[in-house]
Amino acid sequence: EENDEEEEAEESEVENANGEGEDAEEEEPLRVTAHLLKRAPDGECPWDTWLELMHRWPRLQVKLGAPEFFRRAEELKVKFDVERLHELREELRKQRDDARQKRLENAERLKNGAEEFIREAERRRAMLGGRFGGGFVLRPCNKELEERRREKEEKMEQELEARLAQEENEKKQLQEAKEKKRQHLKEQAEQREQEKREEQQRAQKRQQQLELEEKVRQQAAAKLEAALAEAHRRRCPLCDRHSLGGPALPGLLAKATEAAGEAAEEASPETSSTLYLLPWGAPGAGVASIPEVDQREAMSLIYAAGTVEALMLVPVCMLADTQAAGAMSAYAAAVLIILSAA
Protein backbone atom coordinates (compact mmCIF):
# COMPACT_ATOMS: atom_id res chain seq x y z
CA GLU A 1 0.00 0.00 0.00
CA GLU A 2 2.85 2.42 0.76
CA ASN A 3 4.38 1.64 -2.63
CA ASP A 4 1.04 2.30 -4.36
CA GLU A 5 0.65 5.64 -2.57
CA GLU A 6 4.20 6.58 -3.48
CA GLU A 7 3.64 5.63 -7.12
CA GLU A 8 0.38 7.60 -7.28
CA ALA A 9 2.06 10.66 -5.80
CA GLU A 10 4.94 10.33 -8.22
CA GLU A 11 2.59 9.88 -11.18
CA SER A 12 0.70 12.99 -10.13
CA GLU A 13 3.94 14.92 -9.95
CA VAL A 14 5.01 13.58 -13.34
CA GLU A 15 1.70 14.61 -14.91
CA ASN A 16 2.14 18.14 -13.55
CA ALA A 17 5.56 18.31 -15.26
CA ASN A 18 4.27 17.16 -18.66
CA GLY A 19 4.10 20.69 -20.01
CA GLU A 20 7.81 21.38 -19.42
CA GLY A 21 9.97 20.20 -22.33
CA GLU A 22 13.08 18.85 -20.61
CA ASP A 23 11.16 17.78 -17.51
CA ALA A 24 8.73 15.78 -19.67
CA GLU A 25 11.60 13.90 -21.34
CA GLU A 26 13.25 13.16 -18.01
CA GLU A 27 10.00 12.03 -16.43
CA GLU A 28 9.15 9.49 -19.19
CA PRO A 29 11.49 6.76 -17.77
CA LEU A 30 9.94 7.31 -14.35
CA ARG A 31 6.45 7.01 -15.81
CA VAL A 32 7.43 3.80 -17.62
CA THR A 33 9.02 2.19 -14.56
CA ALA A 34 6.10 3.26 -12.36
CA HIS A 35 3.63 1.72 -14.79
CA LEU A 36 5.71 -1.49 -14.99
CA LEU A 37 5.93 -1.75 -11.20
CA LYS A 38 2.21 -1.19 -10.93
CA ARG A 39 1.37 -3.85 -13.54
CA ALA A 40 3.98 -6.36 -12.32
CA PRO A 41 4.81 -5.87 -8.63
CA ASP A 42 6.15 -9.43 -8.43
CA GLY A 43 8.34 -9.17 -11.55
CA GLU A 44 5.99 -10.90 -14.04
CA CYS A 45 3.84 -9.20 -16.67
CA PRO A 46 2.16 -10.03 -20.01
CA TRP A 47 4.41 -9.78 -23.06
CA ASP A 48 2.29 -7.04 -24.72
CA THR A 49 2.72 -4.80 -21.64
CA TRP A 50 6.49 -5.30 -21.85
CA LEU A 51 6.54 -4.44 -25.57
CA GLU A 52 4.41 -1.34 -25.04
CA LEU A 53 6.75 -0.03 -22.32
CA MET A 54 9.79 -0.92 -24.45
CA HIS A 55 8.30 1.17 -27.23
CA ARG A 56 7.84 4.12 -24.89
CA TRP A 57 11.34 3.82 -23.40
CA PRO A 58 13.69 1.66 -25.54
CA ARG A 59 16.49 1.68 -22.90
CA LEU A 60 14.29 -0.22 -20.44
CA GLN A 61 15.76 -3.60 -21.40
CA VAL A 62 19.31 -2.16 -21.31
CA LYS A 63 18.77 -0.90 -17.78
CA LEU A 64 16.95 -3.97 -16.43
CA GLY A 65 18.79 -6.64 -18.39
CA ALA A 66 17.42 -9.28 -20.74
CA PRO A 67 14.07 -10.63 -19.46
CA GLU A 68 12.92 -14.23 -19.47
CA PHE A 69 9.99 -15.21 -21.69
CA PHE A 70 7.82 -18.17 -20.69
CA ARG A 71 4.28 -19.51 -21.08
CA ARG A 72 1.68 -19.96 -18.41
CA ALA A 73 -1.78 -21.29 -19.25
CA GLU A 74 -1.18 -20.70 -23.00
CA GLU A 75 -0.30 -17.04 -22.29
CA LEU A 76 3.13 -15.58 -23.03
CA LYS A 77 4.68 -13.93 -19.95
CA VAL A 78 7.81 -11.87 -19.24
CA LYS A 79 9.86 -12.19 -16.06
CA PHE A 80 12.37 -9.54 -14.94
CA ASP A 81 14.39 -8.56 -11.86
CA VAL A 82 12.00 -6.52 -9.70
CA GLU A 83 14.79 -5.59 -7.27
CA ARG A 84 16.75 -4.07 -10.13
CA LEU A 85 13.59 -2.16 -11.09
CA HIS A 86 13.45 -0.54 -7.61
CA GLU A 87 17.13 0.36 -7.85
CA LEU A 88 16.60 1.82 -11.32
CA ARG A 89 13.76 3.98 -10.07
CA GLU A 90 15.96 5.39 -7.31
CA GLU A 91 18.68 6.17 -9.86
CA LEU A 92 16.17 7.89 -12.13
CA ARG A 93 14.80 9.97 -9.25
CA LYS A 94 18.31 11.07 -8.30
CA GLN A 95 19.13 11.97 -11.93
CA ARG A 96 15.90 13.94 -12.19
CA ASP A 97 16.58 15.86 -8.97
CA ASP A 98 20.16 16.61 -10.03
CA ALA A 99 19.00 17.83 -13.43
CA ARG A 100 16.39 20.07 -11.85
CA GLN A 101 18.90 21.52 -9.43
CA LYS A 102 21.35 22.16 -12.26
CA ARG A 103 18.70 23.94 -14.31
CA LEU A 104 17.77 26.12 -11.36
CA GLU A 105 21.40 27.06 -10.84
CA ASN A 106 21.83 27.85 -14.53
CA ALA A 107 18.69 29.97 -14.52
CA GLU A 108 19.87 31.87 -11.47
CA ARG A 109 23.32 32.36 -12.97
CA LEU A 110 21.81 33.55 -16.24
CA LYS A 111 19.54 35.96 -14.41
CA ASN A 112 22.39 37.42 -12.41
CA GLY A 113 24.59 37.57 -15.49
CA ALA A 114 21.89 39.40 -17.46
CA GLU A 115 21.46 41.96 -14.74
CA GLU A 116 25.23 42.44 -14.52
CA PHE A 117 25.44 42.81 -18.31
CA ILE A 118 22.67 45.41 -18.32
CA ARG A 119 24.38 47.41 -15.56
CA GLU A 120 27.71 47.28 -17.41
CA ALA A 121 26.05 48.40 -20.65
CA GLU A 122 24.34 51.30 -18.91
CA ARG A 123 27.61 52.34 -17.31
CA ARG A 124 29.48 52.32 -20.62
CA ARG A 125 26.72 54.20 -22.36
CA ALA A 126 26.85 56.82 -19.67
CA MET A 127 30.62 57.11 -20.09
CA LEU A 128 30.48 57.38 -23.89
CA GLY A 129 27.23 59.27 -24.16
CA GLY A 130 28.87 62.67 -24.53
CA ARG A 131 31.32 61.51 -27.18
CA PHE A 132 28.66 59.93 -29.46
CA GLY A 133 25.97 62.48 -28.81
CA GLY A 134 23.78 60.20 -26.74
CA GLY A 135 23.67 57.40 -29.43
CA PHE A 136 23.50 53.65 -28.91
CA VAL A 137 26.61 51.85 -27.78
CA LEU A 138 25.74 48.77 -29.91
CA ARG A 139 25.61 49.13 -33.70
CA PRO A 140 22.19 48.95 -35.32
CA CYS A 141 21.31 45.97 -37.55
CA ASN A 142 22.74 45.90 -41.07
CA LYS A 143 19.79 46.05 -43.47
CA GLU A 144 21.65 44.26 -46.27
CA LEU A 145 22.63 41.35 -44.01
CA GLU A 146 19.10 41.16 -42.69
CA GLU A 147 17.76 41.00 -46.25
CA ARG A 148 20.18 38.21 -47.16
CA ARG A 149 19.22 36.25 -44.09
CA ARG A 150 15.54 36.59 -44.91
CA GLU A 151 16.12 35.50 -48.53
CA LYS A 152 18.11 32.48 -47.34
CA GLU A 153 15.33 31.47 -44.95
CA GLU A 154 12.73 31.82 -47.71
CA LYS A 155 14.86 29.69 -50.04
CA MET A 156 15.25 27.01 -47.38
CA GLU A 157 11.51 27.00 -46.79
CA GLN A 158 10.85 26.60 -50.52
CA GLU A 159 13.33 23.72 -50.76
CA LEU A 160 11.71 22.08 -47.76
CA GLU A 161 8.25 22.41 -49.29
CA ALA A 162 9.50 21.02 -52.62
CA ARG A 163 11.12 18.04 -50.85
CA LEU A 164 7.96 17.35 -48.85
CA ALA A 165 5.86 17.54 -52.03
CA GLN A 166 8.24 15.13 -53.78
CA GLU A 167 8.09 12.68 -50.87
CA GLU A 168 4.30 12.89 -50.85
CA ASN A 169 4.22 12.23 -54.60
CA GLU A 170 6.56 9.24 -54.26
CA LYS A 171 4.44 7.89 -51.45
CA LYS A 172 1.32 8.26 -53.57
CA GLN A 173 2.98 6.52 -56.54
CA LEU A 174 4.13 3.67 -54.30
CA GLN A 175 0.61 3.27 -52.93
CA GLU A 176 -0.82 3.22 -56.46
CA ALA A 177 1.76 0.59 -57.52
CA LYS A 178 0.80 -1.59 -54.55
CA GLU A 179 -2.88 -1.21 -55.39
CA LYS A 180 -2.26 -2.17 -59.03
CA LYS A 181 -0.24 -5.21 -57.97
CA ARG A 182 -2.94 -6.28 -55.55
CA GLN A 183 -5.60 -5.88 -58.25
CA HIS A 184 -3.45 -7.85 -60.72
CA LEU A 185 -2.99 -10.69 -58.24
CA LYS A 186 -6.72 -10.68 -57.57
CA GLU A 187 -7.50 -10.90 -61.30
CA GLN A 188 -5.00 -13.76 -61.71
CA ALA A 189 -6.59 -15.63 -58.82
CA GLU A 190 -10.05 -15.12 -60.32
CA GLN A 191 -8.80 -16.29 -63.73
CA ARG A 192 -7.25 -19.43 -62.21
CA GLU A 193 -10.48 -20.10 -60.36
CA GLN A 194 -12.47 -19.66 -63.58
CA GLU A 195 -10.14 -22.03 -65.46
CA LYS A 196 -10.46 -24.54 -62.65
CA ARG A 197 -14.26 -24.37 -62.83
CA GLU A 198 -14.18 -24.74 -66.63
CA GLU A 199 -11.85 -27.75 -66.35
CA GLN A 200 -14.19 -29.33 -63.81
CA GLN A 201 -17.14 -28.72 -66.13
CA ARG A 202 -15.25 -30.28 -69.07
CA ALA A 203 -14.30 -33.28 -66.94
CA GLN A 204 -17.92 -33.63 -65.84
CA LYS A 205 -19.10 -33.46 -69.46
CA ARG A 206 -16.52 -36.08 -70.47
CA GLN A 207 -17.67 -38.33 -67.66
CA GLN A 208 -21.30 -37.85 -68.68
CA GLN A 209 -20.39 -38.61 -72.32
CA LEU A 210 -18.56 -41.77 -71.28
CA GLU A 211 -21.50 -42.84 -69.13
CA LEU A 212 -23.91 -42.15 -72.02
CA GLU A 213 -21.73 -44.14 -74.47
CA GLU A 214 -21.52 -46.98 -71.98
CA LYS A 215 -25.28 -46.90 -71.58
CA VAL A 216 -25.76 -46.97 -75.37
CA ARG A 217 -23.34 -49.90 -75.66
CA GLN A 218 -25.17 -51.78 -72.96
CA GLN A 219 -28.52 -51.12 -74.66
CA ALA A 220 -27.15 -52.27 -78.06
CA ALA A 221 -25.67 -55.37 -76.48
CA ALA A 222 -28.98 -56.08 -74.78
CA LYS A 223 -30.83 -55.67 -78.08
CA LEU A 224 -28.38 -58.01 -79.84
CA GLU A 225 -28.66 -60.66 -77.13
CA ALA A 226 -32.44 -60.35 -77.25
CA ALA A 227 -32.44 -60.75 -81.06
CA LEU A 228 -30.16 -63.79 -80.92
CA ALA A 229 -32.24 -65.35 -78.16
CA GLU A 230 -35.39 -64.81 -80.18
CA ALA A 231 -33.73 -66.31 -83.25
CA HIS A 232 -32.72 -69.42 -81.29
CA ARG A 233 -36.16 -69.63 -79.74
CA ARG A 234 -37.66 -69.78 -83.22
CA ARG A 235 -35.20 -72.53 -84.13
CA CYS A 236 -33.30 -70.46 -86.69
CA PRO A 237 -29.93 -72.26 -87.04
CA LEU A 238 -26.92 -69.99 -86.55
CA CYS A 239 -23.41 -71.33 -86.52
CA ASP A 240 -20.86 -70.31 -83.83
CA ARG A 241 -19.53 -66.78 -83.98
CA HIS A 242 -16.03 -66.10 -85.31
CA SER A 243 -13.76 -63.22 -84.19
CA LEU A 244 -12.62 -60.72 -86.80
CA GLY A 245 -9.33 -60.12 -85.03
CA GLY A 246 -7.57 -62.84 -87.06
CA PRO A 247 -7.48 -63.54 -90.81
CA ALA A 248 -10.71 -63.70 -92.80
CA LEU A 249 -12.41 -67.05 -93.16
CA PRO A 250 -10.63 -69.11 -95.81
CA GLY A 251 -12.53 -69.69 -99.01
CA LEU A 252 -14.59 -66.46 -98.83
CA LEU A 253 -15.06 -64.41 -101.92
CA ALA A 254 -12.81 -61.40 -102.39
CA LYS A 255 -15.69 -59.04 -101.59
CA ALA A 256 -16.51 -60.93 -98.41
CA THR A 257 -12.84 -60.76 -97.30
CA GLU A 258 -12.75 -57.07 -98.11
CA ALA A 259 -15.96 -56.41 -96.14
CA ALA A 260 -14.63 -58.32 -93.15
CA GLY A 261 -11.34 -56.35 -93.29
CA GLU A 262 -13.13 -52.98 -93.46
CA ALA A 263 -15.34 -53.91 -90.54
CA ALA A 264 -12.26 -54.82 -88.48
CA GLU A 265 -10.51 -51.52 -89.33
CA GLU A 266 -13.53 -49.38 -88.51
CA ALA A 267 -14.00 -51.02 -85.13
CA SER A 268 -12.72 -48.86 -82.28
CA PRO A 269 -10.94 -50.24 -79.17
CA GLU A 270 -14.23 -49.90 -77.26
CA THR A 271 -16.17 -52.00 -79.85
CA SER A 272 -15.89 -55.63 -81.07
CA SER A 273 -17.38 -57.29 -84.14
CA THR A 274 -18.66 -60.85 -84.51
CA LEU A 275 -19.30 -62.95 -87.60
CA TYR A 276 -22.42 -65.10 -88.11
CA LEU A 277 -23.54 -67.47 -90.88
CA LEU A 278 -27.28 -67.82 -91.40
CA PRO A 279 -28.47 -70.72 -93.64
CA TRP A 280 -30.36 -69.42 -96.65
CA GLY A 281 -32.86 -71.42 -98.68
CA ALA A 282 -34.38 -74.86 -98.31
CA PRO A 283 -32.09 -77.69 -97.14
CA GLY A 284 -31.14 -80.33 -99.74
CA ALA A 285 -32.08 -78.09 -102.69
CA GLY A 286 -28.61 -78.22 -104.20
CA VAL A 287 -28.91 -74.68 -105.55
CA ALA A 288 -29.72 -71.36 -103.90
CA SER A 289 -33.46 -71.03 -103.42
CA ILE A 290 -35.96 -68.67 -101.83
CA PRO A 291 -35.35 -68.38 -98.03
CA GLU A 292 -37.82 -69.94 -95.72
CA VAL A 293 -40.07 -67.99 -93.35
CA ASP A 294 -38.03 -68.68 -90.19
CA GLN A 295 -34.82 -67.57 -91.98
CA ARG A 296 -36.41 -64.28 -93.03
CA GLU A 297 -37.73 -63.73 -89.49
CA ALA A 298 -34.28 -64.40 -88.02
CA MET A 299 -32.72 -61.95 -90.49
CA SER A 300 -35.35 -59.31 -89.62
CA LEU A 301 -34.74 -59.71 -85.89
CA ILE A 302 -30.97 -59.42 -86.24
CA TYR A 303 -31.21 -56.43 -88.57
CA ALA A 304 -33.71 -54.68 -86.27
CA ALA A 305 -31.16 -54.78 -83.43
CA GLY A 306 -29.26 -51.98 -85.23
CA THR A 307 -25.83 -53.60 -85.01
CA VAL A 308 -25.44 -55.04 -88.52
CA GLU A 309 -22.34 -53.75 -90.31
CA ALA A 310 -22.36 -55.94 -93.45
CA LEU A 311 -24.49 -58.63 -95.17
CA MET A 312 -23.28 -60.94 -97.97
CA LEU A 313 -24.74 -64.06 -99.58
CA VAL A 314 -22.01 -66.74 -99.77
CA PRO A 315 -22.14 -70.15 -101.52
CA VAL A 316 -21.68 -72.95 -99.01
CA CYS A 317 -18.96 -74.45 -101.20
CA MET A 318 -16.79 -71.49 -100.26
CA LEU A 319 -17.03 -72.62 -96.60
CA ALA A 320 -15.66 -76.10 -97.17
CA ASP A 321 -12.46 -75.42 -95.22
CA THR A 322 -14.12 -73.65 -92.27
CA GLN A 323 -15.59 -74.82 -89.00
CA ALA A 324 -19.07 -74.00 -90.31
CA ALA A 325 -18.81 -76.50 -93.19
CA GLY A 326 -20.59 -79.25 -91.25
CA ALA A 327 -23.46 -77.07 -90.04
CA MET A 328 -24.02 -75.63 -93.53
CA SER A 329 -23.51 -78.78 -95.63
CA ALA A 330 -27.25 -79.29 -96.18
CA TYR A 331 -27.73 -75.84 -97.70
CA ALA A 332 -26.62 -74.32 -100.97
CA ALA A 333 -25.98 -70.81 -99.64
CA ALA A 334 -25.58 -68.87 -96.39
CA VAL A 335 -25.75 -65.20 -95.41
CA LEU A 336 -22.54 -63.77 -93.97
CA ILE A 337 -23.53 -61.30 -91.20
CA ILE A 338 -21.00 -58.95 -89.60
CA LEU A 339 -22.34 -57.54 -86.31
CA SER A 340 -20.97 -54.92 -83.97
CA ALA A 341 -21.30 -55.62 -80.27
CA ALA A 342 -21.17 -51.89 -79.38
Side-chain angles (χ1 to χ4, degrees):
E1 294 179 356
E2 292 179 359
N3 290 336
D4 293 342
E5 293 177 358
E6 180 182 355
E7 291 170 5
E8 291 177 358
E10 184 168 350
E11 289 180 358
S12 176
E13 181 181 357
V14 168
E15 290 177 357
N16 295 332
N18 282 344
E20 304 173 6
E22 295 183 359
D23 287 346
E25 294 179 1
E26 294 175 357
E27 297 297 344
E28 181 64 16
L30 284 172
R31 284 196 295 269
V32 171
T33 53
H35 184 69
L36 179 59
L37 188 60
K38 183 177 181 180
R39 292 294 301 272
D42 55 349
E44 294 182 3
C45 67
W47 67 275
D48 52 350
T49 301
W50 178 265
L51 292 181
E52 177 187 357
L53 298 178
M54 281 284 295
H55 179 71
R56 289 173 56 183
W57 188 37
R59 292 183 58 81
L60 177 62
Q61 183 170 334
V62 177
K63 295 293 185 180
L64 285 181
E68 178 184 353
F69 290 86
F70 65 96
R71 287 189 177 274
R72 177 181 295 162
E74 300 300 329
E75 184 179 359
L76 187 61
K77 295 280 189 177
V78 179
K79 184 176 182 181
F80 57 91
D81 189 355
V82 69
E83 296 296 331
R84 174 56 188 158
L85 179 59
H86 286 290
E87 295 176 0
L88 178 60
R89 287 179 53 77
E90 292 298 329
E91 295 175 1
L92 293 174
R93 289 194 191 98
K94 186 175 183 305
Q95 293 176 3
R96 179 194 60 186
D97 296 339
D98 294 343
R100 286 181 178 178
Q101 182 63 30
K102 186 175 181 180
R103 283 197 298 273
L104 291 175
E105 292 176 356
N106 291 336
E108 184 68 24
R109 189 180 302 109
L110 181 60
K111 180 180 178 181
N112 296 334
E115 294 177 354
E116 182 65 27
F117 176 76
I118 292 172
R119 286 196 296 269
E120 181 65 21
E122 291 294 337
R123 185 179 66 82
R124 292 189 180 187
R125 187 176 62 178
M127 290 174 60
L128 302 175
R131 182 179 302 177
F132 292 96
F136 290 101
V137 177
L138 301 177
R139 286 190 308 170
C141 294
N142 190 321
K143 293 182 178 181
E144 184 179 356
L145 293 177
E146 184 67 20
E147 185 67 22
R148 290 180 182 176
R149 183 185 63 80
R150 186 166 56 254
E151 291 177 356
K152 185 177 180 180
E153 291 179 353
E154 291 177 355
K155 184 177 180 181
M156 292 176 63
E157 290 179 359
Q158 293 176 358
E159 292 177 353
L160 179 60
E161 291 177 357
R163 187 165 61 253
L164 292 176
Q166 183 180 0
E167 291 177 356
E168 184 68 21
N169 188 25
E170 292 177 354
K171 184 178 179 181
K172 184 178 180 180
Q173 292 177 356
L174 181 61
Q175 186 68 22
E176 291 177 353
K178 290 182 179 179
E179 183 66 22
K180 289 181 180 179
K181 184 177 181 181
R182 186 185 65 82
Q183 186 67 22
H184 180 64
L185 293 176
K186 182 179 179 181
E187 292 176 356
Q188 287 183 341
E190 292 177 353
Q191 183 178 0
R192 287 195 296 269
E193 187 66 23
Q194 180 66 20
E195 292 175 355
K196 184 178 179 181
R197 288 195 295 268
E198 292 176 355
E199 182 63 26
Q200 290 176 352
Q201 292 175 358
R202 287 194 294 269
Q204 186 176 3
K205 289 181 179 179
R206 287 195 298 268
Q207 182 65 24
Q208 292 175 354
Q209 184 67 22
L210 292 175
E211 292 176 356
L212 181 59
E213 292 176 357
E214 180 63 23
K215 185 177 180 181
V216 171
R217 282 196 297 270
Q218 291 177 359
Q219 291 176 352
K223 288 181 180 179
L224 177 61
E225 292 298 330
L228 296 177
E230 183 67 15
H232 282 292
R233 187 180 68 80
R234 298 192 183 191
R235 298 180 179 178
C236 298
L238 292 175
C239 77
D240 295 335
R241 66 184 64 183
H242 299 269
S243 172
L244 291 180
L249 294 175
L252 289 180
L253 296 176
K255 292 184 177 180
T257 305
E258 182 180 356
E262 291 177 355
E265 291 177 357
E266 293 176 356
S268 63
E270 291 84 2
T271 62
S272 60
S273 297
T274 53
L275 194 67
Y276 286 91
L277 286 172
L278 178 65
W280 199 252
V287 293
S289 61
I290 297 174
E292 298 182 354
V293 176
D294 59 348
Q295 294 172 351
R296 290 198 300 270
E297 290 180 354
M299 178 63 69
S300 299
L301 289 172
I302 296 174
Y303 189 79
T307 59
V308 176
E309 294 185 359
L311 295 173
M312 184 170 291
L313 186 63
V314 180
V316 172
C317 62
M318 303 298 295
L319 305 176
D321 297 332
T322 66
Q323 297 177 0
M328 297 294 169
S329 61
Y331 299 91
V335 177
L336 176 65
I337 307 172
I338 300 177
L339 301 180
S340 173

